[in-house]
Amino acid sequence: MAEHYDIRLLRQQDINLSRNKGGVIQGTVNEKYYDELIVYRCFPFQYDSSYISIRNAEDEELGIVREIEELDKESACVLKEELELRYFLPKVTRIDSVKNKSGLWLWELQTNLGPTRMVMRNLHEHLLYPGEGWIIITDMNGKRCEIKDWRMLDSHSQKQLQEII
């Protein structure tokens, strides 16, 4: 049985966002006020400021913002801040080591936010390659970080990666 899906693109006049005193996004969407709104990127790794899903507190989609820049200044600022919080992704600056011990892959990394350690059972399920040279690493507990372009890392880091991918 085929299901019908409506995609509602929101224009600047359809949406107005702000934060309440507690930091929760609130606002008006299609002339209806919501005291809590949730935002998601429809394509989180390809389009960081395009195709943003706006949902109510029950996770029902109200519409999609095609481009953040199309919104008024305050709404765009609120939306950008929220997306940065939701899609927090430290950047790997160096790979100290990648080792396989007792069936687990142990990664010792340096990031723009300091050192971190990641543990995973297998590489296939925990490495994502969204674009040329770009790698998203996710450990067993859901912690994530990214390598924007592994070819730009130092030679030691590149060697660590080349031995496993």
Side-chain angles (χ1 to χ4, degrees):
M1 180 171 153
E3 293 187 36
H4 179 71
Y5 296 98
D6 287 326
I7 297 175
R8 294 175 295 274
L9 292 177
L10 300 171
R11 299 165 296 167
Q12 180 176 352
Q13 61 267 28
D14 299 329
I15 186 168
N16 187 311
L17 303 174
S18 63
R19 285 195 187 274
N20 67 18
K21 291 179 182 178
V24 175
I25 294 181
Q26 60 187 6
T28 304
V29 179
N30 292 323
E31 299 181 0
K32 183 175 177 187
Y33 176 78
Y34 296 88
D35 59 2
E36 182 179 354
L37 293 168
I38 303 167
V39 301
Y40 294 97
R41 289 180 176 138
C42 294
F43 304 99
F45 299 118
Q46 286 183 302
Y47 304 109
D48 61 351
S49 64
S50 305
Y51 304 106
I52 310 303
S53 175
I54 308 296
R55 300 170 185 225
N56 64 19
E58 290 77 40
D59 207 30
E60 299 167 331
E61 188 169 80
L62 304 172
I64 294 177
V65 173
R66 186 188 312 259
E67 292 289 336
I68 293 176
E69 290 74 29
E70 294 174 357
L71 300 179
D72 65 85
K73 188 175 180 176
E74 181 183 0
S75 294
C77 183
V78 168
L79 196 51
K80 285 178 186 177
E81 286 175 352
E82 188 67 15
L83 290 169
E84 285 177 18
L85 291 170
R86 177 173 292 285
Y87 295 96
F88 176 71
L89 202 57
K91 316 278 185 262
V92 173
T93 56
R94 179 177 167 78
I95 300 171
D96 293 330
S97 68
V98 179
K99 298 176 184 169
N100 189 323
K101 288 187 178 179
S102 303
L104 294 175
W105 288 93
L106 308 173
W107 294 61
E108 298 288 340
L109 305 170
Q110 299 297 322
T111 73
N112 62 324
L113 301 174
T116 193
R117 178 180 228 208
M118 300 184 79
V119 180
M120 57 196 73
R121 292 200 191 287
N122 65 58
L123 298 174
H124 176 72
E125 292 179 14
H126 296 277
L127 300 179
L128 179 65
Y129 306 94
E132 189 158 333
W134 189 10
I135 303 172
I136 306 292
I137 306 167
T138 307
D139 78 358
M140 291 175 16
N141 298 316
K143 180 170 62 173
R144 300 181 317 154
C145 59
E146 73 176 334
I147 302 170
K148 269 301 200 187
D149 187 344
W150 67 268
R151 298 165 296 193
M152 301 305 289
L153 293 173
D154 63 277
S155 60
H156 173 79
S157 298
Q158 287 184 31
K159 185 174 188 273
Q160 295 295 308
L161 275 176
Q162 287 172 343
E163 290 178 4
I164 60 167
I165 60 175

